[in-house]
Amino acid sequence: MASEAEKTFQRFAVFGESSSSGTEMNNKNFSKLCKDCGIMDGKTVTSTDVDIVFSKVKAKNARTITFQQFQEAMKELGQKRFKGKNPDEALEDIYKLMEGKDPATTGVTKTTTVGGVSRLTDTSKYTGTHKERFDESGKGKGIAGREDMTDNSGYVSGYKGAGTYDKKGSK
């Protein structure tokens, strides 16, 4: 059962922390784990309780906890969340709540294309020089669409027989 809890611990430990290896968890992610897994219910276990337990189990000068310290914290929260049960049963119930949970991204802002935005970003409606910056599918051409590419062949732009000089001279 602890291996499943360890996997959940690692998933939450790296959430939002690009430099994290998944072996240590900060207070923000610990609170998120408790909230997302339903350990923090708002009545018997509040966010304040979670913060206090985190501070209790971490080393004095540390900002993160290891999995062993996490297990101690879960024992304390389990006794608070499931009153009347013995500590081992409470810990088992906490691990059941955590099983297979991933960090949720609820409340994340979605991109919208309301009103004028869709009209402004539709490349098929572009006119003039802006039209030249995109191909038929609407994909940008990159630098070729932004700059006039000069022809360094040595011929003037209107000359029809460009590239035929060598053929005439060899006869």
Side-chain angles (χ1 to χ4, degrees), residues 53-126:
V53 168
F54 182 86
S55 296
K56 214 183 274 184
V57 296
K58 76 173 177 64
K60 286 282 178 239
N61 57 356
R63 291 173 163 237
T64 56
I65 58 171
T66 62
F67 185 67
Q68 281 69 35
Q69 292 167 324
F70 172 77
Q71 287 176 315
E72 290 172 36
M74 288 297 117
K75 281 179 188 164
E76 285 199 37
L77 288 174
Q79 288 170 340
K80 194 160 178 57
R81 176 83 160 79
F82 302 105
K83 285 191 173 119
K85 289 191 174 183
N86 72 35
D88 293 333
E89 282 180 22
L91 186 63
E92 202 69 28
D93 288 344
I94 290 280
Y95 285 160
K96 281 184 183 142
L97 286 172
M98 287 172 48
E99 204 170 300
K101 288 282 191 338
D102 283 317
T105 52
T106 55
V108 176
T109 308
K110 304 277 189 290
T111 56
T112 59
T113 52
V114 180
V117 178
S118 60
R119 232 179 14 257
L120 292 169
T121 55
D122 186 5
T123 56
S124 65
K125 292 185 170 74
Y126 288 0

Side-chain angles (χ1 to χ4, degrees), residues 136-155:
E136 297 79 39
S137 67
K139 187 164 174 18
K141 290 182 184 175
I143 197 141
R146 289 193 297 275
E147 290 183 2
D148 288 335
M149 303 309 267
T150 56
D151 180 22
N152 293 330
S153 65
Y155 292 95

